[in-house]
Amino acid sequence: MKRCNLKLLTLTLLTVFGLSSCTDLEIEETDSFISEGFQGLEDPASALNQLYGQVYGAWADQAARYALYEVTTDALLVPTRGADWGDNGRWRKLHQHEWGLEEADIITPFNQYNANQLLASQILDSRSGATADVAAQAHFLRAYNMFTILDLFGQVPFRDVTLSSSEVPAVLSGAEAVNFILADLDAAITGLPSVAAATGDLKRASKAAARLLKAKVLLNRHIYDNQLALAAGELSIPTPAASDMAEVISLVDAITAEGYALEDDYFDMFRDTPDTETIWWAEACVCNRIYNGLHYNSTGLGGGGWNGFSTLAEYYDLFEGNPNDNAFTDVLFSAPASNQEERRGGVPNIGNGNAGSNVGVGFLIGQQYALDGTPLQDRQGGPLAFTRQFVDGSGNVSLINNSETTGIRVQKYQPQYNDGFGAHNLMFRYADAYLMKAEAMFRSGGDPTTMINTLRTQRGASPLGSVTESDILDERGRELFAEGWRRNDMVRFGAYLRNWELKGDGQAGNTTRLLFPIPLPQLLANPNLVQNPGY
């Protein structure tokens, strides 16, 4: 684990333990118990601020939630380069689908998001006396945190804060969990403010954010209602209800009615400037997203990159363009030499004078350049040219003993616009909602080809003659790469269990991996929890 994620994990743990001192609670790392005599929070507004901070920190981390949603898919992997990024195999096991019961990246999000939903419940307790606005925000954040636990683990421990702490938390799963989350979101939609696109405080939830999350829950409801049976291999993915798909479309239309729309300049959305796509952003450092894949010599900002995260060649090849070249021909990032689509980004051969402007956007492959146009070198003096394949010193495909230059790097936040450590981290944006509507149309028997082609044309990609289910998944992969949703999409489309480069032997088709294991300390603390199938 590198730099910022260590800080974030430390801060998260300190925050969780610090909760007891400011709210008369006792929250242990491995459970969600509160102390006897809870009588409400003295300052629910301050508790809400704390809750947002915890949610932001968990989102911005490169480990834990982000690793489970991206590194366990075809989108990202973290090879071991010499002694770097070995970390006892933690990153390799995630990508290979060979994780065990007590991986830090599994335990941490279970603890974080359960602690978060408990704090939201305490804010919502009538004895806390929260204002209507604070309560609406807490309803949204409780739904968001419970949704995350349900999506990853299939079971949500829920503590009724009016009961004694001697009562073990109930466990919600399937339809019961979904209905609870949807009720919270309906309360949030009623109470949250309506914030037009590119206006207002979008780092706090609005009606649009709650509608997007509700649409996401409904789009996945047929998965969540059957998670345990799917993980046990007892059931194939069922057909979603037509009423759910109709409501997804209605919710997205309501978001559109508030002025949210597709942006023309794709990478400008990942700057700290107003745009019509951002629905909810986290006030949290984008440093992990910038530096976790850059080489040590990529930029002088922040002392260089950390040289870890990379994407698979097969994921890169989802995008239109030359598979071996995506060089820009000017310093304005506007003239790709290979005629690739805009989302593929490119590598400039010189900077524009701004620190970090020599670093490209999108996917970085081939020779990298310094600010003055000098070809960069790796630490051994060889060309700093990122390659498509992951190979060891003998040239064998491998996740260990890689050199410093293997793997295509991913760069969504350009360092010259974020000073290397900007704090404008996107969580929800309109293109996600737009593609959810297209998917809901398809699953309802409609034809979303025109919708998909509108997006593709705006992104500089060729229109499709027709759209299949796999086309929609691929389009979501192109549009939302490295934004923390890949696992959720792949599970829903039945693609999470397929084989991909460097997945572990025998893991393709292993339904156990559709859910992560419940951490053992939680099983001991709460007998209402049952270990997920196969663990």
Side-chain angles (χ1 to χ4, degrees):
M1 187 182 293
K2 301 288 180 184
R3 303 178 184 175
C4 280
N5 57 316
L6 280 172
K7 297 176 184 176
L8 286 167
L9 178 57
T10 302
L11 287 172
T12 300
L13 293 174
L14 290 173
T15 302
V16 170
F17 284 110
L19 198 58
S20 60
S21 64
C22 62
T23 60
D24 293 329
L25 305 178
E26 181 181 349
I27 297 180
E28 300 179 11
E29 182 182 355
T30 57
D31 63 30
S32 300
F33 293 111
I34 63 173
S35 62
E36 299 283 357
F38 174 71
Q39 295 297 319
L41 303 176
E42 291 184 5
D43 189 350
S46 293
L48 180 68
N49 291 337
Q50 175 183 328
L51 179 54
Y52 264 108
Q54 292 170 191
V55 168
Y56 294 160
W59 178 267
D61 196 355
Q62 67 185 358
R65 182 208 176 276
Y66 186 77
L68 297 188
Y69 277 94
E70 296 287 351
V71 180
T72 68
T73 74
D74 60 349
L76 288 178
L77 54 73
V78 187
T80 300
R81 308 178 190 282
D84 209 3
W85 293 94
D87 297 327
N88 296 314
R90 76 183 276 190
W91 306 103
R92 299 195 303 272
K93 285 187 285 186
L94 290 179
H95 184 75
Q96 292 171 319
H97 282 207
E98 294 177 345
W99 55 78
L101 295 177
E102 290 297 287
E103 311 295 344
D105 295 302
I106 294 172
I107 295 173
T108 297
F110 194 95
N111 292 337
Q112 286 176 328
Y113 288 88
N114 278 312
N116 289 347
Q117 58 111 338
L118 172 61
L119 179 54
S121 292
Q122 293 160 355
I123 294 170
L124 288 166
D125 187 276
S126 60
R127 294 166 293 179
S128 296
T131 64
D133 175 67
V134 168
Q137 296 281 342
H139 275 297
F140 171 78
L141 289 176
R142 184 167 68 178
Y144 167 75
N145 283 282
M146 293 181 74
F147 158 79
T148 304
I149 291 295
L150 180 65
D151 190 68
L152 293 172
F153 298 95
Q155 302 176 61
V156 185
F158 177 75
R159 172 164 292 284
D160 184 341
V161 297
T162 66
L163 299 179
S164 166
S165 62
S166 62
E167 298 286 334
V168 295
V171 173
L172 308 179
S173 61
E176 187 179 17
V178 169
N179 290 336
F180 192 103
I181 293 168
L182 291 175
D184 261 346
L185 289 171
D186 286 339
I189 291 169
T190 298
L192 287 172
S194 177
V195 180
T199 69
D201 182 8
L202 294 176
K203 67 178 180 293
R204 291 294 177 106
S206 64
K207 289 186 187 298
R211 285 171 174 144
L212 185 149
L213 183 55
K214 185 177 181 182
K216 198 171 284 286
V217 173
L218 292 170
L219 194 66
N220 289 278
R221 196 211 296 247
H222 60 298
I223 302 295
Y224 299 149
D225 283 354
N226 300 281
Q227 276 178 304
L228 297 180
L230 289 167
E234 300 169 352
L235 183 70
S236 298
I237 294 177
T239 301
S243 58
D244 286 341
M245 298 303 98
E247 190 169 0
V248 170
I249 292 170
S250 177
L251 287 162
V252 176
D253 286 344
I255 295 171
T256 306
E258 291 188 311
Y260 294 92
L262 299 174
E263 276 283 335
D264 287 330
D265 297 315
Y266 183 74
F267 289 104
D268 280 356
M269 286 179 285
F270 302 93
R271 299 172 56 180
D272 187 7
T273 52
D275 64 78
T276 59
E277 285 217 30
T278 299
I279 292 175
W280 183 31
W281 61 275
E283 192 173 32
C285 185
V286 297
C287 47
N288 283 306
R289 305 293 186 265
I290 289 178
Y291 293 111
N292 65 19
L294 292 183
H295 186 268
Y296 315 102
N297 298 336
S298 290
T299 174
L301 287 170
W306 308 333
N307 209 41
F309 285 50
S310 308
T311 194
L312 277 68
E314 65 184 79
Y315 194 87
Y316 174 70
D317 288 342
L318 290 175
F319 298 77
E320 288 184 16
N322 185 325
N324 298 301
D325 174 34
N326 66 342
F328 283 123
T329 58
D330 67 11
V331 298
L332 300 178
F333 294 4
S334 61
S338 305
N339 297 315
Q340 66 261 17
E341 61 179 276
E342 181 186 13
R343 294 174 297 197
R344 196 164 175 256
V347 177
N349 58 12
I350 193 171
N352 61 16
N354 297 327
S357 62
N358 60 301
V359 177
V361 289
F363 295 89
L364 311 183
I365 187 172
Q367 180 65 53
Q368 308 296 299
Y369 297 88
L371 272 171
D372 63 0
T374 302
L376 288 170
Q377 296 180 328
D378 64 18
R379 294 184 300 179
Q380 287 71 47
L384 182 55
F386 298 136
T387 63
R388 291 171 56 89
Q389 301 302 322
F390 300 90
V391 295
D392 60 21
S394 300
N396 300 313
V397 175
S398 177
L399 268 174
I400 61 174
N401 298 324
N402 275 230
S403 74
E404 294 183 1
T405 59
T406 58
I408 302 164
R409 312 307 168 88
V410 180
Q411 194 70 194
K412 211 139 195 183
Y413 295 86
Q414 219 283 331
Q416 71 166 316
Y417 299 126
N418 293 281
D419 296 325
F421 290 90
H424 190 89
N425 206 314
L426 288 192
M427 297 185 75
F428 290 179
R429 65 183 180 90
Y430 179 73
D432 188 357
Y434 182 90
L435 286 170
M436 284 196 284
K437 176 181 175 178
E439 181 181 340
M441 289 175 57
F442 180 86
R443 297 191 187 282
S444 303
D447 183 3
T449 301
T450 298
M451 275 193 74
I452 297 292
N453 282 338
T454 296
L455 173 65
R456 288 180 59 79
T457 299
Q458 202 148 348
R459 303 302 191 223
S462 303
L464 302 174
S466 61
V467 167
T468 65
E469 184 176 31
S470 62
D471 289 330
I472 297 173
L473 175 61
D474 288 348
E475 200 62 40
R476 288 188 63 82
R478 285 184 284 265
E479 181 66 26
L480 300 169
F481 70 90
E483 292 186 45
W485 293 113
R486 185 60 173 172
R487 174 192 170 275
N488 176 269
D489 291 339
M490 295 190 82
V491 169
R492 185 173 67 257
F493 281 86
Y496 191 64
L497 301 182
R498 73 169 181 82
N499 202 14
W500 55 65
E501 187 178 6
L502 293 166
K503 180 177 271 193
D505 292 340
Q507 290 300 327
N510 182 1
T511 58
T512 293
R513 301 307 182 181
L514 290 172
L515 290 172
F516 294 101
I518 306 297
L520 295 179
Q522 292 283 354
L523 290 173
L524 295 173
N526 186 349
N528 290 327
L529 287 165
V530 178
Q531 187 56 276
N532 282 325
Y535 291 106

